[in-house]
Amino acid sequence: MEQYEPERLTPAQVAAMRRSFRNGRASLSRRSLLRASAGGALAVGGLGALSACGIPAAGKTQGGVSAEDHSAKEKTINFSNWTEYMDVDDSEKHHPTLDAFTKRTGIKVKYTEDINDNVEFFGKIKPQLAAGQDTGRDIIVVTDWLAARLIRFGWVQKLDASNLPHAYTNLSQQFRDPDWDPGRAYSYPWQGISTVIAFNKKALDGIEVKSISDMLDNPKLKGRVGFLSEMRDSMGMTLLDMGKDPANFTDDDFDAAIARLQKAVDKGQIRRFTGNDYTSDLTKGDLAACVAWAGDVVQLKADSPHVDFIIPDSGYLTSTDNMLVPNKARHKTNAERLMDYYYELEPAAELAAYINYVCPVDGVKPYLAKIDKDAADNPLIIPDKAMAAKSHAFRSLSQKEETAYEEKFAKLTGA
């Protein structure tokens, strides 16, 4: 079990944090825009910054530290999630899927939208977790890099597979075995977030863009190409284009990808590295093509007939937001029942129809089609087998790698 130690931020890590909070996914609201995901240096630097608040380092503990499970007597669940990440009715006062769960089980869900950013939320729950205390929450939803950290620190409970039959059966293959939680012993995805290539057909004016290489090498696109200021997204897509697996690459591979992008920066091919603010440049045509987040593309396509996307033959990046049960949670069994409920096909379809992220539930498409056929046919929401096969995850990084990679990426982007 990894020991939680205070650590200092490097200048590159501070720059990465500022990028993410200023205009990256950390700065954005749910549904209208994407929010923090892999978060560059937030994965380590952000945690390090928070650890300097006088909380003693956690020792090496065993995972799965629970209080007595009060699920049988206390028919309740305390559920913390991101804003605008749950279905709501027309009155915007009720969550239909949660209401249906309560009606069926008698378990009331106290649903709280108190997660606006991974680092900020970690700061809320860290003191209790480090002290071995109840956070007051039975389910939390955090992005994969933070989920990995919580598992390594021994601060979340191992799940009881017997309470998760639908989740075990219906979890999409592409999300089944992340390197940070093999076999999903501690977590299940809430939704997925994909990184793709977006383009403006009018701005391209017949120029073909099917790969990162097309973006980097075609002189007709000089100054009209965008990459993301999030290290994992831009570097992961570049590594894939170079025939490397983001889940299994070396320092030399990373350096080669940096050099590839640096060449494009030096010759003015790349207009700039952006957070979510690429969306206005793309719709206006100032960017002809860019690395983009799929949640944005779904919405941009609905508003602009010129915007579309491509999945390169080399593949694309996918990260996940994940449900976990913190140590000392009072209602673990109830929490597992709710987690499993969202892997039943009808509730999963209702959720997907509302929030339009990558649904991690296999077999949901015909149920979603009854609600919203366009959403069911959208591969950015329900990836087909060919698209799912092209999905790749950026591997977990050590502290040493995180520091080195962020410094190199910051130099590349001029942060």
Side-chain angles (χ1 to χ4, degrees):
M1 199 69 66
E2 179 177 323
Q3 187 167 347
Y4 184 68
E5 296 286 0
E7 52 199 42
R8 296 292 182 182
L9 292 177
T10 68
Q13 289 171 334
V14 172
M17 285 185 70
R18 287 173 178 166
R19 285 199 309 273
S20 191
F21 280 116
R22 183 176 63 249
N23 61 8
R25 284 182 274 186
S27 68
L28 309 169
S29 64
R30 184 67 65 176
R31 189 167 174 80
S32 61
L33 299 173
L34 284 170
R35 51 100 206 112
S37 180
L42 298 180
V44 174
L47 297 180
L50 290 167
S51 70
C53 299
I55 303 298
K60 294 184 178 181
T61 61
Q62 297 298 315
V65 180
S66 63
E68 179 184 352
D69 192 348
H70 297 268
S71 293
K73 294 182 179 179
E74 299 177 5
K75 296 293 186 179
T76 187
I77 300 169
N78 295 307
F79 186 177
S80 283
N81 204 347
W82 297 75
T83 57
E84 298 183 55
Y85 216 13
M86 180 67 74
D87 58 307
V88 297
D89 65 5
D90 292 339
S91 72
E92 298 188 357
K93 296 180 179 180
H94 300 283
H95 303 291
T97 56
L98 287 177
D99 291 346
F101 173 81
T102 297
K103 183 176 181 180
R104 181 202 297 182
T105 64
I107 299 170
K108 295 182 179 179
V109 182
K110 181 182 178 182
Y111 184 73
T112 307
E113 295 181 337
D114 61 346
I115 306 178
N116 295 302
D117 166 70
N118 284 293
V119 173
E120 178 186 57
F121 181 67
F122 183 79
K124 292 180 182 179
I125 63 175
K126 177 176 63 70
Q128 294 98 326
L129 292 172
Q133 298 172 351
D134 180 13
T135 65
R137 298 167 174 87
D138 301 303
I139 299 177
I140 59 175
V141 177
V142 298
T143 306
D144 44 18
W145 65 261
L146 181 53
R149 288 276 164 168
L150 294 174
I151 292 169
R152 289 176 183 173
F153 295 155
W155 287 354
V156 293
Q157 298 186 53
K158 190 171 184 178
L159 301 174
D160 184 345
S162 67
N163 292 327
L164 294 155
H166 296 95
Y168 179 82
T169 300
N170 294 335
L171 176 61
S172 296
Q173 187 63 41
Q174 72 181 101
F175 299 120
R176 281 189 175 270
D177 201 34
D179 66 352
W180 47 270
D181 187 15
R184 292 288 180 179
Y186 293 88
S187 68
Y188 269 93
W190 177 249
Q191 298 290 295
I193 303 169
S194 297
T195 304
V196 299
I197 293 176
F199 57 86
N200 184 309
K201 289 178 282 189
K202 185 176 181 180
L204 285 178
D205 192 25
I207 300 171
E208 187 174 74
V209 172
K210 292 186 176 181
S211 67
I212 295 294
S213 288
D214 290 340
M215 293 169 59
L216 294 177
D217 297 335
N218 191 330
K220 294 181 179 179
L221 295 177
K222 183 177 179 179
R224 297 193 294 143
V225 168
F227 276 72
L228 293 169
S229 57
E230 300 288 359
M231 182 267 287
R232 285 169 174 80
D233 295 295
S234 288
M235 294 305 297
M237 293 292 282
T238 305
L239 285 165
L240 282 169
D241 187 72
M242 298 173 68
K244 303 299 181 180
D245 185 356
N248 184 24
F249 64 90
T250 66
D251 288 347
D252 288 342
D253 295 333
F254 188 89
D255 289 345
I258 285 283
R260 178 97 168 91
L261 291 177
Q262 186 67 60
K263 182 180 178 180
V265 169
D266 292 343
K267 67 181 183 181
Q269 187 77 4
I270 296 176
R271 182 183 182 90
R272 63 192 182 108
F273 290 83
T274 72
N276 180 265
D277 50 329
Y278 70 83
T279 56
S280 60
D281 286 349
L282 184 64
T283 54
K284 289 186 298 184
D286 292 339
L287 285 175
C290 61
V291 178
W293 293 309
D296 288 341
V297 178
V298 171
Q299 294 163 55
L300 291 176
K301 278 173 60 67
D303 297 330
S304 173
H306 303 303
V307 173
D308 211 336
F309 75 98
I310 187 76
I311 301 297
D313 288 341
S314 59
Y316 68 102
L317 265 288
T318 301
S319 58
T320 52
D321 285 332
N322 309 275
M323 298 179 284
L324 303 99
V325 179
N327 282 355
K328 298 291 186 176
R330 289 177 61 88
H331 313 108
K332 179 173 181 285
T333 298
N334 290 346
E336 290 165 340
R337 291 182 67 182
L338 183 60
M339 292 165 70
D340 191 63
Y341 168 75
Y342 279 105
Y343 277 82
E344 294 181 25
L345 299 180
E346 290 185 359
E350 291 182 53
L351 184 66
Y354 183 79
I355 63 177
N356 292 165
Y357 280 73
V358 180
C359 182
V361 182
D362 195 25
V364 77
K365 184 173 182 177
Y367 294 84
L368 179 57
K370 295 177 182 178
I371 304 170
D372 186 339
K373 189 176 186 305
D374 289 341
D377 291 337
N378 191 331
L380 297 181
I381 299 173
I382 306 293
D384 55 27
K385 289 184 178 180
M387 184 170 172
K390 293 182 179 181
S391 172
H392 297 266
F394 200 97
R395 70 172 173 83
S396 299
L397 300 178
S398 68
Q399 166 67 26
K400 182 179 179 181
E401 288 174 327
E402 185 81 38
T403 300
Y405 293 171
E406 279 296 345
E407 287 177 348
K408 292 173 182 178
F409 190 71
K411 183 178 180 181
L412 168 73
T413 62

